[in-house]
Amino acid sequence: MDERFNRWLLPPLLALLFLLIVYQYVSPACPGAACPRRPPASAARRGGGPAEREEEEAAAAAAAGAAEEEEEEAEAAAAALPRLVAKFPFARGELCRRVRFDMRGRDVIVFLHIQKTGGTTFGRHLVRNIRLEQPCYCRAGQKKCACHRPGGDKDTWLFSRFSTGWSCGLHADWTELTSCVPAAMERRGCAGNRTLRNFYYITMLRDPVSRYLSEWKHVQRGATWKTSLHMCDGRSPTPDELPTCYEGDDWSGVSLQEFMDCSYNLANNRQVRMLADLSLVGCYNLTFMNESERNMILLQSAKNNLKNMAFFGLTEFQRKTQYLFERTFNLKFISPFTQFNVTRASNVDIGEDVRQRIEELNFLDVQLYDYAKDLFLQRFQYSKQEEHQKNRLKRREERRLLREQRAHQWPREEAAEVAVTEDYNSQVARW
């Protein structure tokens, strides 16, 4: 009897137990609105309460700031330039060269072309390789190009061999150009605009020994530049003031020893002479003052004029020259400059005694180039550091805006999670 009773009682008990288990999972813990609302998942991840949430957000901000500082330090280390040991002190204004070049106005770039400094290549870059609103018009078979200003103005923005020709004389120097260019531009342009013109002088320099050897090879092939005017204080030098080193039409076939032995060879210290104000030393009159005083004045004048030019480049640093020109004038070249390490000068095999002799003949140029190279590299480093700093600040601002954008997205995510939770509870209560 008891055994039969247990057999009938066991199935209902098991069914009741099963229903209790199901009810525990399906039914809410408390009825209707009395149930406490579950915190959103995002709040649970950030600690739940307001105090915990603030601590979590502060920790996240600190971690983001630390990560940002580490990223900036890594970027700065990656962009770090080789340490430059400066030889000459220059002020910030002498290193930061920025020209507001107004091509539509009356601004003019004047290129002082010193022989055998890569000026021909650089001059072609100016007329053929700059990205312009109105490119220079170059006819096939002609050396000169028409570099007119945008907007139909026939006035030119470039005074150089390949745009205006040798308007102030063949390879005119600083003394000639500064006294000739304004009048020459007036003859080409509209009258009455002289006071409105801004002239930006530029030039190229080269290692004195390489430049001297290159000029010797050029003269050996027949070059003379004898049509140069050498104007100074309104006149050209007399034959006694500037005698020639050869008899006849040219100096073809001259040996290096003969080239060095001519004491009045204009190849000697050419870069200093062409950049200095010759009127300070009596032009080409060597009896105007003693030689040591003359040399000192010429060198200092060349340094000052070079430093105050809008731009100068170095033949040995083509890519840096391109970069500094683009930064100075806010103009861009179409194709990158090419560094030619094999030249006629590099193919000349000379001994140490000959090299020393050339340096002695060009002792002023050696000092000028040392000064110019230091200034050039300091300007390059200053511009690069300025560019890196600008880019870091830009990236920092972009990261700050991104963090703010993410911070505005978090409240929307919380609201969405709360809505989902309430909807779930209402559905369970309905069941």
Side-chain angles (χ1 to χ4, degrees):
M1 180 70 179
D2 293 335
E3 186 176 340
R4 187 182 302 173
F5 177 77
N6 292 336
R7 186 184 304 168
W8 286 102
L9 184 61
L10 183 60
L13 290 175
L14 292 175
L16 180 62
L17 180 62
F18 176 79
L19 290 174
L20 289 174
I21 294 173
V22 171
Y23 182 80
Q24 284 285 65
Y25 281 98
V26 174
S27 176
C30 50
C35 290
R37 190 170 56 192
R38 289 189 307 167
S42 59
R45 287 195 301 267
R46 292 195 296 272
E52 291 83 354
R53 187 180 305 174
E54 290 179 2
E55 292 179 1
E56 191 72 21
E57 291 177 353
E68 181 177 328
E69 290 180 0
E70 291 178 1
E71 184 177 352
E72 289 184 356
E73 290 177 0
E75 291 174 353
L81 297 170
R83 181 175 177 81
L84 175 65
V85 180
K87 297 181 180 179
F88 300 92
F90 295 105
R92 180 181 179 277
E94 296 168 341
L95 298 179
C96 180
R97 308 299 286 179
R98 297 289 184 276
V99 172
R100 293 183 178 180
F101 186 68
D102 185 9
M103 188 171 291
R104 288 181 172 272
R106 287 292 180 263
D107 292 353
V108 181
I109 293 177
V110 182
F111 181 34
L112 194 164
H113 185 174
I114 301 174
Q115 289 94 317
K116 313 315 296 178
T117 59
T120 298
T121 300
F122 185 77
R124 290 197 179 103
H125 280 305
L126 293 177
V127 298
R128 296 178 182 271
N129 193 30
I130 297 182
R131 185 175 286 107
L132 299 172
E133 179 182 350
Q134 180 174 331
C136 297
Y137 175 67
C138 305
R139 291 184 179 180
Q142 293 187 3
K143 290 184 177 181
K144 290 198 301 182
C145 302
C147 296
H148 296 149
R149 302 182 188 277
D153 193 342
K154 297 301 181 181
D155 192 16
T156 183
W157 57 268
L158 177 64
F159 192 97
S160 74
R161 167 190 179 183
F162 292 115
S163 58
T164 57
W166 301 113
S167 300
C168 291
L170 179 62
H171 285 286
D173 56 30
W174 189 92
T175 307
E176 293 176 287
L177 287 176
T178 53
S179 61
C180 166
V181 169
M185 288 297 298
E186 291 307 312
R187 291 194 297 268
R188 299 180 59 88
C190 302
N193 289 325
R194 175 176 297 187
T195 58
L196 301 178
R197 293 188 188 276
N198 295 315
F199 297 107
Y200 298 103
Y201 287 83
I202 65 174
T203 193
M204 291 287 294
L205 294 182
R206 187 179 181 182
D207 170 74
V209 175
S210 298
R211 198 214 66 79
Y212 188 86
L213 290 172
S214 182
E215 180 166 340
W216 162 59
K217 296 296 289 183
H218 199 59
V219 170
Q220 191 182 54
R221 296 192 302 272
T224 61
W225 302 297
K226 58 186 177 182
T227 58
S228 297
L229 302 177
H230 302 296
M231 293 290 292
C232 179
D233 286 349
R235 68 176 183 87
S236 295
T238 65
D240 292 335
E241 292 174 332
L242 192 61
T244 59
C245 291
Y246 57 90
E247 296 179 356
D249 294 334
D250 55 43
W251 209 3
S252 299
V254 59
S255 67
L256 180 57
Q257 188 62 49
E258 292 173 327
F259 195 75
M260 293 188 295
D261 287 343
C262 181
S263 59
Y264 34 86
N265 189 345
L266 289 179
N268 301 340
N269 296 309
R270 180 182 288 279
Q271 295 179 103
V272 166
R273 178 181 60 79
M274 293 189 66
L275 289 174
D277 183 358
L278 298 181
S279 62
L280 298 175
V281 295
C283 299
Y284 293 89
N285 182 8
L286 300 183
T287 63
F288 186 79
M289 61 178 62
N290 64 70
E291 184 178 1
S292 61
E293 183 182 3
R294 176 185 175 88
N295 290 336
M296 181 182 66
I297 294 175
L298 284 175
L299 178 59
Q300 191 57 47
S301 176
K303 286 181 177 179
N304 291 337
N305 291 337
L306 182 71
K307 180 179 64 177
N308 294 327
M309 280 184 169
F311 163 83
F312 72 89
L314 299 182
T315 308
E316 289 76 19
F317 300 95
Q318 290 292 318
R319 291 297 178 88
K320 290 181 173 65
T321 294
Q322 176 181 354
Y323 173 81
L324 286 178
F325 181 90
E326 291 177 339
R327 294 272 293 180
T328 300
F329 290 98
N330 195 27
L331 296 171
K332 294 294 183 180
F333 289 100
I334 300 171
S335 303
F337 287 14
T338 304
Q339 185 72 54
F340 294 104
N341 294 320
V342 178
T343 61
R344 288 189 174 92
S346 66
N347 290 328
V348 178
D349 187 15
I350 58 174
E352 187 58 34
D353 55 336
V354 176
R355 173 175 293 276
Q356 186 174 352
R357 174 62 176 155
I358 295 175
E359 290 177 349
E360 291 173 355
L361 292 171
N362 295 272
F363 72 103
L364 295 178
D365 273 10
V366 170
Q367 296 178 70
L368 175 66
Y369 186 80
D370 191 41
Y371 174 88
K373 183 178 178 181
D374 189 63
L375 175 57
F376 178 85
L377 293 178
Q378 285 195 53
R379 283 180 176 175
F380 177 78
Q381 187 172 59
Y382 180 89
S383 297
K384 278 293 185 181
Q385 290 173 346
E386 188 179 49
E387 182 182 22
H388 293 331
Q389 178 66 17
K390 182 178 179 180
N391 290 336
R392 283 199 296 271
L393 293 176
K394 181 180 179 180
R395 288 192 293 268
R396 181 183 300 176
E397 180 65 17
E398 290 174 351
R399 287 192 288 264
R400 186 187 66 80
L401 294 175
L402 182 60
R403 287 198 303 271
E404 291 181 354
Q405 183 180 2
R406 289 174 178 173
H408 290 310
Q409 288 177 348
W410 287 344
R412 291 196 296 269
E413 292 176 357
E414 293 179 1
E417 291 178 356
V418 168
V420 171
T421 304
E422 291 179 347
D423 184 64
Y424 170 78
N425 290 332
S426 64
Q427 291 294 332
V428 171
R430 185 186 304 172
W431 294 340

